[in-house]
Amino acid sequence: MKSDRAFIVGRFQPFHNGHLEVIRKILKENSSVIIGIGSAQYSHTLKDPFTAGERHLMISSSLEAEGIYEFYLVPIEDVNSNPLWVAHVESLTPKFRKIYTNNPLVRRLFFEKNYEVRSMELINRTSWSGTTIRKKMLEGKGWKDDVPKTVFEIIDEIGGVKRLQDLSKTDEDSI
Ligand code: ATP
Ligand code: MG
């Protein structure tokens, strides 16, 4: 139903064109979307280079630039207990009954709590993947076309590529 609120969770490291397309699709079927920024406490690692605040800015600026305003952004820290995770999410978000996910564990956990679980088709996954984009950044390859323009500008402004490349060094290198 178009009046529904739906939920999607990801780490958004970084927010890319695949995420943007999925959010557009969700908003065709629902009146608003709650976007959980997962593993919110992590940053400055190769898998999770950007802070929750930086990811919040990437997502909100990109969606607003596209004229999309029907979203709620909620940073969600890990709880490291699968049975407690759904209750943890519920304690932080507006109420929802429908979740979009491809992650088998997330699917299972919400299914067991009687949520309506929908899967999403992966779009242009060879390029639109956080892991692939982080790899390109590390290798100094082009990734500009894989993310919304606003995300490119934010990562450029915070020196995100240099951050990732610095993180890949070990302290042994400098000796
Ligand atoms: P990583 O490689 O770091 O896991 P990711 O691209 O999978 O990054 P996530 O933050 O893990 O991004 O994804 C959040 C949600 O968005 C997941 O449910 C994922 O399936 C979905 N998603 C990611 N990329 C795409 C895409 N290209 N098309 C459709 N959905 C996508
Ligand atoms: Mg993923």
Side-chain angles (χ1 to χ4, degrees):
M1 238 189 358
K2 184 71 184 161
S3 61
D4 286 349
R5 246 187 323 255
F7 179 64
I8 179 172
V9 63
R11 292 179 4 271
F12 306 110
Q13 293 281 10
F15 185 75
H16 57 64
N17 289 336
H19 297 133
L20 179 59
E21 287 312 309
V22 149
I23 285 167
R24 275 194 222 282
K25 282 195 179 174
I26 293 176
L27 285 174
K28 283 201 179 126
E29 298 168 13
N30 302 273
S31 59
S32 61
V33 60
I34 304 160
I35 304 168
I37 303 176
S39 300
Q41 77 271 40
Y42 294 116
S43 72
H44 296 82
T45 71
L46 290 176
K47 190 178 169 214
D48 290 289
F50 304 112
T51 67
E54 289 164 346
R55 290 178 271 161
H56 193 293
L57 185 65
M58 288 178 205
I59 300 168
S60 57
S61 310
S62 304
L63 294 180
E64 283 164 14
E66 295 291 322
I68 299 170
Y69 302 99
E70 306 86 357
F71 63 91
Y72 307 87
L73 276 170
V74 185
I76 300 173
E77 295 187 359
D78 293 347
V79 282
N80 298 317
S81 167
N82 290 332
L84 294 181
W85 192 67
V86 173
H88 174 61
V89 170
E90 287 169 337
S91 77
L92 298 168
T93 59
K95 253 199 180 355
F96 64 93
R97 289 312 310 167
K98 202 195 286 181
I99 166 165
Y100 289 76
T101 183
N102 291 324
N103 182 298
L105 174 62
V106 174
R107 164 175 292 279
R108 185 74 218 164
L109 294 176
F110 277 93
F111 171 76
E112 289 184 9
K113 299 290 178 194
N114 300 314
Y115 278 83
E116 185 186 335
V117 184
R118 299 273 178 94
S119 54
M120 312 170 279
E121 211 177 301
L122 287 169
I123 313 157
N124 190 17
R125 186 64 173 167
T126 42
S127 300
W128 295 350
S129 136
T131 302
T132 306
I133 293 168
R134 293 192 303 277
K135 191 162 178 282
K136 285 181 181 172
M137 288 175 170
L138 270 177
E139 294 171 351
K141 292 184 179 151
W143 50 276
K144 192 174 180 177
D145 294 342
D146 301 327
V147 301
K149 185 166 174 275
T150 324
V151 170
F152 182 81
E153 287 165 359
I154 292 168
I155 293 176
D156 187 46
E157 185 191 323
I158 64 180
V161 171
K162 183 73 170 45
R163 179 190 296 176
L164 204 57
Q165 290 172 349
D166 280 353
L167 293 169
S168 72
K169 296 173 186 157
T170 70
D171 52 2
E172 308 290 333
D173 288 347
S174 58
I175 298 170

